[in-house]
Amino acid sequence: MRGSLAAKQGSEECSDPGPIEAKGKGGPCLELAIRQRIPSILATFALAAALPCSVSSAAQPQPPPDCRVLFVGAHGLNEDANSTTLKNTWAAFHAYSEQHGGFGGDKKMLPYPKMGTKQFIAAIRANPENPQMSSLPAVNQGVEMLDTAVRDYLKQCPSGGGVVLTGYSEGAWIVDEFLRRYYGLSAVVKAVQLYGDPLYEDPNTGDLGLARLYGFASNFPSPYPDSTLEGPNIVRSRCIEKDPICGGGFRAAHSVGNVGRQTIAAINCARNHSYCKSHTDSYSGRIAKQGGEFLAAQSFTPD
């Protein structure tokens, strides 16, 4: 009887647990209180987890676009966007900019696929009677990437400082082709520096780039370099002696024999790097420094 009464009293005491902390002394009443509160506690945590976090969802302020002069580089054969010639051109451009108030902005090196000299020359010579740009997919990709880079800059900076372009070897051809296809964008181009251009032409010496020899220049404006851009001497092209890609010193316009000599030199260039040093190793030093300074001087506007 006494045990039944104790059990009844215990049941009555724990029948309405109330707040957990009100039970105080622990024992069966505390255990019962915790068990009865577990569903509501779990529901509270689930609701809290579902609520959006006001800190993380807050809109972060975006930095303003850099509307100073944009440097865009197109790399050459057997290399990627990490081209030494382009990097050294950029370094000279940037140094000049820093000395004149920092008018130069960011750089954009175009990441189109690497193309070997052997593949490049084979594509150029594949169909001399009817040359097709479709045989040079890397060149076409580079042109489209350059177009995108310039248009993106114009969207962000319609009244920006403009763009300077530099292209080495295959990259020079990409710049040429971009200026031909998208001449409507030429107003934003401040200056262009080319090195070892396969479309090179010097009427004074008779030197012709390899792509020009094989008919790829029929749709390009004359004289070379492109004179449709605004401003005097806005485009400068460098081609050194014995470079078979741009034809320096071969005088191919003067005789068929000279065309043959240049073609053989280009084939040897594709087979063995030691025959191609005039094209691969000659533009990254002093010439690149001069190129960067030229681009900077053309795009600098004194106050």
Coordinates of all heavy atoms in Angstrom, one line a residue, residues 111-154:
P111 N 44.8 32.7 -74.0 CA 45.2 31.3 -73.7 C 44.8 30.3 -74.8 O 44.3 29.2 -74.5 CB 44.4 31.0 -72.4 CG 43.2 31.8 -72.5 CD 43.6 33.0 -73.3
Y112 N 44.9 30.6 -76.1 CA 44.5 29.7 -77.2 C 45.6 28.6 -77.2 O 46.7 28.7 -76.7 CB 44.4 30.4 -78.5 CG 45.6 31.2 -78.9 CD1 46.7 30.7 -79.5 CD2 45.6 32.6 -78.5 CE1 47.8 31.5 -79.9 CE2 46.7 33.4 -78.9 CZ 47.8 32.9 -79.5 OH 48.9 33.6 -79.8
P113 N 45.3 27.4 -77.8 CA 46.2 26.3 -77.8 C 47.5 26.5 -78.4 O 47.7 27.3 -79.4 CB 45.4 25.2 -78.6 CG 44.0 25.6 -78.6 CD 44.0 27.1 -78.5
K114 N 48.5 25.8 -77.9 CA 49.9 25.8 -78.4 C 49.9 25.1 -79.8 O 49.2 24.1 -80.0 CB 50.8 25.1 -77.4 CG 52.3 25.1 -77.9 CD 53.1 24.2 -77.0 CE 53.2 24.7 -75.6 NZ 54.1 24.0 -74.8
M115 N 50.7 25.6 -80.7 CA 50.8 25.0 -82.0 C 52.3 24.9 -82.4 O 53.1 25.9 -82.2 CB 50.1 25.9 -83.1 CG 50.0 25.2 -84.4 SD 49.0 26.3 -85.6 CE 48.8 25.1 -87.0
G116 N 52.7 23.7 -82.8 CA 54.1 23.5 -83.1 C 54.5 24.1 -84.5 O 53.6 24.2 -85.4
T117 N 55.7 24.4 -84.7 CA 56.2 24.9 -86.0 C 55.9 24.0 -87.1 O 55.5 24.4 -88.2 CB 57.7 25.2 -85.9 OG1 58.0 26.0 -84.8 CG2 58.2 26.0 -87.1
K118 N 56.2 22.7 -86.9 CA 55.9 21.7 -88.0 C 54.5 21.7 -88.4 O 54.2 21.7 -89.6 CB 56.4 20.3 -87.5 CG 56.3 19.2 -88.6 CD 56.9 17.9 -88.1 CE 56.9 16.9 -89.1 NZ 57.4 15.6 -88.6
Q119 N 53.6 21.7 -87.5 CA 52.1 21.7 -87.8 C 51.7 23.0 -88.5 O 50.9 23.0 -89.4 CB 51.3 21.5 -86.5 CG 49.8 21.5 -86.7 CD 49.1 21.5 -85.3 OE1 49.7 21.6 -84.2 NE2 47.8 21.5 -85.4
F120 N 52.3 24.1 -88.0 CA 52.0 25.4 -88.6 C 52.4 25.5 -90.0 O 51.6 25.9 -90.9 CB 52.7 26.4 -87.7 CG 52.5 27.9 -88.2 CD1 51.3 28.5 -87.9 CD2 53.5 28.6 -88.8 CE1 51.1 29.8 -88.3 CE2 53.3 29.9 -89.2 CZ 52.1 30.5 -88.9
I121 N 53.6 25.1 -90.3 CA 54.1 25.2 -91.7 C 53.4 24.2 -92.6 O 53.1 24.6 -93.8 CB 55.7 24.9 -91.7 CG1 56.4 26.0 -91.0 CG2 56.2 24.8 -93.1 CD1 57.9 25.8 -90.8
A122 N 53.1 23.0 -92.1 CA 52.3 22.1 -92.9 C 51.0 22.6 -93.3 O 50.5 22.5 -94.4 CB 52.2 20.7 -92.2
A123 N 50.3 23.3 -92.3 CA 49.0 23.9 -92.6 C 49.1 25.0 -93.6 O 48.2 25.1 -94.5 CB 48.4 24.4 -91.3
I124 N 50.1 25.8 -93.5 CA 50.3 26.9 -94.5 C 50.5 26.4 -95.9 O 49.9 26.9 -96.9 CB 51.5 27.8 -94.1 CG1 51.1 28.6 -92.8 CG2 51.9 28.7 -95.2 CD1 52.2 29.4 -92.3
R125 N 51.3 25.3 -96.0 CA 51.6 24.8 -97.4 C 50.6 23.8 -97.9 O 50.8 23.3 -99.0 CB 53.0 24.2 -97.3 CG 54.1 25.2 -96.9 CD 55.5 24.5 -96.8 NE 55.9 24.0 -98.0 CZ 56.6 22.8 -98.3 NH1 56.8 22.0 -97.3 NH2 56.9 22.5 -99.5
A126 N 49.6 23.5 -97.2 CA 48.7 22.4 -97.5 C 48.0 22.6 -98.8 O 47.8 21.7 -99.6 CB 47.7 22.1 -96.4
N127 N 47.6 23.8 -99.1 CA 46.7 24.1 -100.3 C 47.1 25.5 -100.8 O 46.3 26.4 -100.7 CB 45.3 24.0 -99.9 CG 44.4 24.0 -101.1 OD1 44.8 24.1 -102.3 ND2 43.1 24.0 -100.9
P128 N 48.2 25.6 -101.5 CA 48.7 27.0 -101.9 C 47.8 27.6 -103.0 O 47.7 28.8 -103.1 CB 50.1 26.7 -102.5 CG 50.1 25.2 -102.8 CD 49.2 24.6 -101.8
E129 N 47.0 26.8 -103.7 CA 46.1 27.3 -104.7 C 44.8 27.9 -104.1 O 44.2 28.8 -104.7 CB 45.7 26.2 -105.7 CG 46.9 25.6 -106.5 CD 47.7 26.7 -107.3 OE1 47.0 27.6 -107.8 OE2 48.9 26.6 -107.3
N130 N 44.5 27.4 -103.0 CA 43.2 27.9 -102.3 C 43.4 27.8 -100.8 O 42.8 26.9 -100.1 CB 42.0 27.0 -102.8 CG 40.7 27.6 -102.2 OD1 40.6 28.7 -101.9 ND2 39.8 26.6 -102.0
P131 N 44.3 28.7 -100.2 CA 44.5 28.6 -98.8 C 43.3 28.9 -98.0 O 42.5 29.7 -98.3 CB 45.6 29.7 -98.6 CG 45.4 30.6 -99.7 CD 44.9 29.8 -100.9
Q132 N 43.1 28.1 -96.9 CA 41.9 28.2 -96.1 C 42.3 28.4 -94.6 O 43.1 27.7 -94.0 CB 41.1 26.9 -96.1 CG 40.6 26.6 -97.5 CD 39.5 27.6 -98.0 OE1 38.7 28.1 -97.2 NE2 39.6 27.9 -99.3
M133 N 41.7 29.4 -94.0 CA 42.0 29.7 -92.6 C 41.5 28.5 -91.7 O 41.9 28.4 -90.5 CB 41.3 31.0 -92.1 CG 42.0 32.3 -92.6 SD 43.7 32.4 -92.0 CE 43.4 32.5 -90.2
S134 N 40.6 27.7 -92.2 CA 40.1 26.6 -91.4 C 41.2 25.6 -91.1 O 41.0 24.8 -90.2 CB 38.9 25.9 -92.2 OG 39.4 25.4 -93.4
S135 N 42.3 25.6 -91.8 CA 43.4 24.7 -91.6 C 44.2 25.2 -90.4 O 45.1 24.5 -90.0 CB 44.3 24.6 -92.8 OG 44.9 25.8 -93.1
L136 N 43.9 26.3 -89.8 CA 44.6 26.9 -88.7 C 43.7 27.2 -87.5 O 43.4 28.3 -87.2 CB 45.3 28.2 -89.1 CG 46.4 28.0 -90.2 CD1 46.6 29.2 -91.0 CD2 47.7 27.5 -89.6
P137 N 43.1 26.1 -86.9 CA 42.1 26.4 -85.8 C 42.6 27.2 -84.7 O 41.9 28.0 -84.0 CB 41.7 24.9 -85.4 CG 42.9 24.1 -85.8 CD 43.4 24.7 -87.1
A138 N 43.9 27.0 -84.3 CA 44.5 27.8 -83.2 C 44.5 29.3 -83.5 O 44.2 30.1 -82.6 CB 45.9 27.3 -82.8
V139 N 44.7 29.7 -84.7 CA 44.7 31.1 -85.1 C 43.3 31.6 -85.0 O 43.1 32.7 -84.5 CB 45.2 31.2 -86.6 CG1 45.1 32.7 -87.1 CG2 46.7 30.9 -86.6
N140 N 42.3 30.8 -85.5 CA 40.9 31.3 -85.4 C 40.5 31.4 -84.0 O 39.7 32.4 -83.6 CB 40.0 30.3 -86.2 CG 40.2 30.4 -87.7 OD1 40.2 31.5 -88.3 ND2 40.4 29.3 -88.4
Q141 N 40.9 30.5 -83.1 CA 40.5 30.6 -81.7 C 41.1 31.8 -81.1 O 40.5 32.5 -80.3 CB 41.0 29.3 -81.0 CG 40.1 28.1 -81.3 CD 40.6 26.9 -80.5 OE1 40.7 26.9 -79.3 NE2 40.9 25.8 -81.2
G142 N 42.3 32.1 -81.4 CA 43.0 33.3 -80.9 C 42.3 34.6 -81.3 O 42.2 35.5 -80.5
V143 N 41.9 34.6 -82.6 CA 41.1 35.8 -83.1 C 39.9 36.0 -82.3 O 39.6 37.1 -81.9 CB 40.8 35.6 -84.6 CG1 39.9 36.8 -85.1 CG2 42.1 35.6 -85.4
E144 N 39.1 34.9 -82.0 CA 37.9 35.1 -81.3 C 38.1 35.4 -79.8 O 37.3 36.2 -79.3 CB 37.1 33.8 -81.4 CG 36.6 33.4 -82.8 CD 35.9 34.6 -83.5 OE1 35.0 35.2 -82.9 OE2 36.3 34.9 -84.7
M145 N 39.2 34.9 -79.2 CA 39.5 35.3 -77.9 C 39.9 36.8 -77.8 O 39.5 37.5 -76.8 CB 40.6 34.4 -77.4 CG 40.3 33.0 -77.0 SD 41.7 32.1 -76.4 CE 40.9 30.5 -76.1
L146 N 40.6 37.3 -78.8 CA 41.0 38.7 -78.8 C 39.8 39.5 -79.0 O 39.6 40.6 -78.3 CB 42.0 38.9 -79.9 CG 42.5 40.3 -80.2 CD1 43.0 41.0 -78.9 CD2 43.6 40.4 -81.2
D147 N 38.9 39.1 -79.8 CA 37.6 39.9 -80.0 C 36.8 40.0 -78.7 O 36.4 41.0 -78.3 CB 36.8 39.2 -81.1 CG 35.4 39.9 -81.3 OD1 35.4 41.1 -81.5 OD2 34.4 39.1 -81.2
T148 N 36.8 38.8 -78.0 CA 36.0 38.8 -76.7 C 36.7 39.7 -75.7 O 36.0 40.5 -75.0 CB 36.0 37.4 -76.2 OG1 35.2 36.6 -77.1 CG2 35.3 37.3 -74.9
A149 N 38.0 39.7 -75.6 CA 38.7 40.5 -74.7 C 38.5 42.0 -74.9 O 38.2 42.8 -74.0 CB 40.2 40.2 -74.7
V150 N 38.5 42.4 -76.2 CA 38.3 43.8 -76.5 C 36.9 44.2 -76.2 O 36.6 45.3 -75.7 CB 38.7 44.1 -78.0 CG1 38.3 45.5 -78.4 CG2 40.2 43.9 -78.2
R151 N 35.9 43.4 -76.6 CA 34.5 43.7 -76.4 C 34.1 43.8 -74.9 O 33.4 44.6 -74.4 CB 33.6 42.7 -77.1 CG 33.7 42.9 -78.6 CD 32.7 41.9 -79.3 NE 32.9 41.9 -80.8 CZ 32.4 42.8 -81.6 NH1 31.6 43.7 -81.2 NH2 32.7 42.7 -82.9
D152 N 34.7 42.8 -74.1 CA 34.5 42.9 -72.7 C 35.0 44.2 -72.1 O 34.4 44.7 -71.2 CB 35.2 41.7 -72.0 CG 34.4 40.4 -72.3 OD1 33.3 40.4 -72.8 OD2 35.0 39.3 -72.0
Y153 N 36.2 44.6 -72.5 CA 36.7 45.8 -72.0 C 35.8 47.0 -72.4 O 35.5 47.9 -71.5 CB 38.1 46.1 -72.6 CG 38.7 47.4 -72.2 CD1 39.4 47.5 -71.0 CD2 38.7 48.5 -73.1 CE1 40.0 48.8 -70.7 CE2 39.2 49.7 -72.8 CZ 39.9 49.8 -71.5 OH 40.4 51.0 -71.2
L154 N 35.3 47.0 -73.6 CA 34.4 48.1 -74.0 C 33.1 48.1 -73.2 O 32.6 49.2 -72.9 CB 34.1 48.0 -75.5 CG 35.2 48.5 -76.4 CD1 34.9 48.2 -77.9 CD2 35.4 50.0 -76.3

